[in-house]
Amino acid sequence: FYRLNVLYPPEFLGEQVFVVTAVEQGEALLPVSVSANPAPEAFNWTFRGYRLSPAGGPRHRILSGGALQLWNVTRADDGLYQLHCQNSEGTAETLVRLDVHYAPTIRALQDPTEVNIGGSVDIVCTVDANPILPEMFSWERLGEEEEDQSLEDMEKMSKGATGRLRIHHAKLAQAGAYQCIVDNGVAPPARGLVRLVVRFPPQVEHPTPLTKVAAAGDSTSSATLHCRARGVPNIVFTWTKNGVPLDLQDPRYTEHTYHQGGVHSSLLTIANVSAAQDYALFTCTATNTLGSDHTNIQLVSISRPDPPTGLKVVSMTPYSVGLEWKPGFDGGLPQRFQIRYEALETSGFLYVDVLPPEATTFTLTGLQPSTRYRIWLLASNALGDSGVTDKGSQITITTPGLDQPSGEPDYQLPTEQPEGPPGLPLLPVLFAVGGLLLLSNISCVGGFLWRRRLRRLAEGISEKTEAGSEDDRVKNEYEDSQWTGDRDTRSSTVSTMDVEPYYHSMKNFSPQLPPTLEEVSYPQGFTHLEEEDMAFPGHLYDEVERLYAPTGAWGPLYDEVPMGPCNPCWPGETYEDSRGIYDRVAGDLDPMEPDSLPFELRGHLV
């Protein structure tokens, strides 16, 4: 047998790989499949005209079989690598492509993108990425929860590294921030923000048909008129008073303008407001290149608030109802709200204060199931309330029954305006009438009992004075007496059970005279005497001494009192010659005037 050795130059085999894929920051291996006899003497790699060192480098090395290994691959390493193989018979060359994949990066995004209202525009997003995929672009609108719903009327397109979002017939609702998202499978996806600006003519805010501002017209107060508008591009404001352009060079007028995106504001401050000059209709006009708009602001005096509007029911249960409304003009003063309601089956109104005062929603509780109610909403400030004549501030509801679910609110506006002023509340009137009747009855009973008490007091005093004798006027020594009273829950009576006279002992007694009548200040009224056991008022006898002083010795109290027929006599008055005791059967006894009463009764009443 003979061995035949055929020599031939290097040849690359069919399994040789010509494209290698790697991810940025990863590793790559460029393999070599070659056949040669004798074996290749050297493998030389060249990239972009530069020969890689056979000994290796910081990020590459050449293996024994000729394969090239790379690490920390970057997108700059992407390209064609040339391999040169050589032996004694000849050489061979081939090209191997390294394809480095990397995450996308947005290179161009027109921000902001502007379009006139009703026009069309493309939002363009250009990226740098590898690989480039046809479905790698997506869009979303910031602030919207559902992407498909917010972009359903927009067209999405892409070609190569450029994606487009096309908007037809632009509307104000489409203005805002949009985000371009690019994802080619290599993390992380790229995101870019772009603002879509829809240009439109000014739109001045009109909180009410006629805005009011209140200020005192005393030439010392100031007022600020606020004009707010939306529009793109920027807006210029002008002011007029009763149709005449306002001279902003006047030091009494100061304007400040603010711009924030598509919202613009103008604040006109009027110093030293005069009722004659400044209580007028001011007009604010907002203008830009696409058009203009205006609003009227009335400067008025401080007044009661306007009625709230838009009163409606937002929830209802058998025992409560939730209300919501829009506040009206506050009259230039802090306002608060109050709810007045009534059950249509009963009489009388109930009132509930809304807390906190600036709230525009409130839950009214304490209702009854299956009951029809009429509800009014009142606004009030320091000058008064708004009244209940406005239909927008009253509703009629029917609460559900306990066996009914609390479904949609059941309420309606009144079909017709109530005629005439509202009637007086019935319950307070009944209480007042009942109280007056009770007081009159008490007065009648008290007067009768008081007259009976005076009569008994007079009779008791008469009996005790007649029991004395002139012979023992000086010898008698009287014991200290007590005034006793029988307790009763309605009135007081004088007890005559004691047989001892109600006199103070006068033995060896030299009294100090009290002040004269002119010096005594009697109270102009009396209070109910406590029915406690107490001594008989001493000053009653002091007055007897002061008016009719005895000539030497102290005797019975009334012996020295000269009595005579009364002149003039009171109605029903009689006279007793023995002791001169007045019998007040009927007449106008005035307990508020002690001087008009007999001195026998004067001290007790005081």
Side-chain angles (χ1 to χ4, degrees):
F1 295 89
Y2 298 88
R3 181 180 181 83
L4 178 62
N5 186 19
V6 179
L7 303 179
Y8 55 92
E11 295 179 354
F12 290 98
L13 303 178
E15 61 266 20
Q16 172 64 41
V17 177
F18 298 101
V19 178
V20 176
T21 300
V23 178
E24 195 171 29
Q25 303 301 324
E27 294 185 359
L29 179 64
L30 279 62
V32 174
S33 297
V34 63
S35 174
N37 189 20
E41 299 172 356
F43 297 92
N44 298 318
W45 289 92
T46 303
F47 178 63
R48 294 179 181 175
Y50 294 93
R51 182 170 178 268
L52 301 181
S53 172
R59 294 195 305 114
H60 80 278
R61 67 176 177 173
I62 299 176
L63 303 180
S64 59
L68 175 63
Q69 184 179 15
L70 303 172
W71 54 87
N72 294 334
V73 176
T74 66
R75 65 190 67 186
D77 297 330
D78 185 275
L80 293 175
Y81 288 79
Q82 184 179 18
L83 173 60
H84 181 82
C85 298
Q86 181 179 359
N87 64 5
S88 58
E89 299 298 322
T91 61
E93 293 182 352
T94 189
L95 295 175
V96 179
R97 176 178 174 80
L98 177 60
D99 186 13
V100 180
H101 290 184
Y102 51 88
T105 303
I106 295 179
R107 295 301 184 188
L109 191 61
Q110 186 178 355
D111 179 45
T113 298
E114 297 185 358
V115 60
N116 289 340
I117 187 170
S120 299
V121 69
D122 288 347
I123 301 178
V124 181
C125 181
T126 303
V127 299
D128 175 22
N130 188 33
I132 301 296
L133 303 178
E135 301 296 333
M136 67 178 182
F137 287 95
S138 62
W139 298 85
E140 69 179 15
R141 183 177 179 182
L142 299 183
E144 297 291 336
E145 296 181 359
E146 299 182 9
E147 176 185 351
D148 294 339
Q149 191 175 29
S150 60
L151 303 178
E152 59 184 1
D153 53 351
M154 302 180 185
E155 183 180 0
K156 303 173 187 177
M157 300 180 297
S158 65
K159 184 178 181 180
T162 301
R164 298 175 182 271
L165 180 64
R166 179 164 295 175
I167 300 172
H168 302 279
H169 309 292
K171 299 183 288 288
L172 287 179
Q174 295 174 326
Y178 292 81
Q179 188 168 235
C180 172
I181 304 174
V182 185
D183 186 3
N184 64 349
V186 181
R191 297 175 179 269
L193 183 66
V194 58
R195 292 168 299 166
L196 176 64
V197 177
V198 179
R199 295 188 292 263
F200 61 97
Q203 296 178 351
V204 179
E205 294 184 358
H206 303 275
T208 58
L210 177 62
T211 304
K212 296 181 182 179
V213 175
D218 53 4
S219 299
T220 61
S221 303
S222 62
T224 300
L225 311 184
H226 188 187
C227 181
R228 180 184 174 98
R230 301 174 63 88
V232 178
N234 280 352
I235 287 174
V236 176
F237 291 96
T238 57
W239 289 87
T240 63
K241 182 174 73 173
N242 290 333
V244 179
L246 198 63
D247 183 12
L248 295 179
Q249 301 301 321
D250 189 336
R252 295 178 59 245
Y253 302 111
T254 305
E255 183 191 20
H256 296 280
T257 304
Y258 304 92
H259 304 276
Q260 184 176 3
V263 180
H264 316 271
S265 299
S266 174
L267 275 69
L268 177 65
T269 301
I270 305 173
N272 302 328
V273 174
S274 169
Q277 299 181 13
D278 299 317
Y279 283 172
L281 182 66
F282 290 81
T283 302
C284 170
T285 304
T287 306
N288 67 4
T289 57
L290 300 179
S292 64
D293 193 13
H294 71 277
T295 186
N296 295 322
I297 303 176
Q298 183 80 40
L299 183 58
V300 298
S301 174
I302 296 175
S303 63
R304 297 186 304 171
D306 289 347
T309 59
L311 179 62
K312 64 179 180 179
V313 175
V314 295
S315 63
M316 187 184 300
T317 69
Y319 299 101
S320 65
V321 59
L323 302 174
E324 185 179 31
W325 63 89
K326 295 180 181 179
F329 175 56
D330 59 7
L333 298 172
Q335 69 174 340
R336 59 186 180 88
F337 299 99
Q338 187 181 58
I339 293 177
R340 184 181 86 165
Y341 67 99
E342 66 169 346
L344 297 183
E345 293 80 6
T346 60
S347 301
F349 301 93
L350 297 176
Y351 293 81
V352 177
D353 290 330
V354 174
L355 295 175
E358 65 277 3
T360 58
T361 59
F362 187 76
T363 300
L364 179 61
T365 59
L367 306 181
Q368 296 299 321
S370 302
T371 305
R372 190 171 179 83
Y373 289 93
R374 181 173 296 153
I375 302 174
W376 292 265
L377 180 64
L378 308 176
S380 63
N381 60 17
L383 297 181
D385 60 52
S386 58
V388 295
T389 58
D390 190 270
K391 290 187 177 181
S393 60
Q394 59 176 290
I395 56 174
T396 301
I397 65 167
T398 301
T399 55
L402 295 178
D403 56 346
Q404 300 176 358
S406 300
E408 294 296 326
D410 177 20
Y411 69 95
Q412 64 182 19
L413 294 175
T415 56
E416 61 181 6
Q417 189 70 16
E419 296 181 358
L424 292 176
L426 183 58
L427 289 179
V429 171
L430 292 178
F431 280 120
V433 173
L436 291 176
L437 292 176
L438 182 61
L439 289 177
S440 63
N441 291 336
I442 293 175
S443 301
C444 293
V445 175
F448 172 76
L449 295 176
W450 179 249
R451 286 196 297 269
R452 187 175 66 176
R453 179 175 180 175
L454 291 179
R455 183 184 305 173
R456 290 185 180 181
L457 178 62
E459 292 174 355
I461 294 176
S462 175
E463 293 175 359
K464 297 182 188 306
T465 55
E466 291 176 355
S469 173
E470 293 183 359
D471 296 337
D472 53 1
R473 179 178 302 175
V474 178
K475 298 178 181 180
N476 275 337
E477 293 182 2
Y478 302 103
E479 297 180 356
D480 293 341
S481 62
Q482 288 184 335
W483 185 275
T484 59
D486 297 332
R487 290 188 178 271
D488 189 86
T489 57
R490 294 167 297 176
S491 62
S492 299
T493 59
V494 178
S495 175
T496 59
M497 298 300 296
D498 295 337
V499 296
E500 295 295 333
Y502 296 90
Y503 302 140
H504 292 280
S505 176
M506 299 301 173
K507 185 177 181 180
N508 300 326
F509 176 68
S510 297
Q512 181 179 359
L513 293 179
T516 63
L517 281 174
E518 291 77 12
E519 297 174 342
V520 175
S521 175
Y522 289 100
Q524 298 301 312
F526 67 94
T527 58
H528 181 71
L529 296 176
E530 296 291 339
E531 299 297 332
E532 301 290 344
D533 292 339
M534 65 180 183
F536 194 89
H539 64 272
L540 183 146
Y541 306 101
D542 293 340
E543 285 194 23
V544 177
E545 169 64 22
R546 170 163 43 86
L547 294 177
Y548 309 98
T551 59
W554 287 73
L557 177 65
Y558 302 105
D559 288 348
E560 296 296 331
V561 180
M563 307 299 290
C566 55
N567 185 22
C569 291
W570 292 352
E573 186 176 272
T574 62
Y575 172 70
E576 296 180 7
D577 292 332
S578 60
R579 295 300 176 186
I581 302 301
Y582 291 110
D583 183 9
R584 310 300 186 185
V585 177
D588 296 329
L589 279 177
D590 188 1
M592 303 300 293
E593 297 293 341
D595 292 341
S596 66
L597 301 176
F599 58 83
E600 298 93 338
L601 311 180
R602 199 176 300 165
H604 172 63
L605 291 181
V606 172

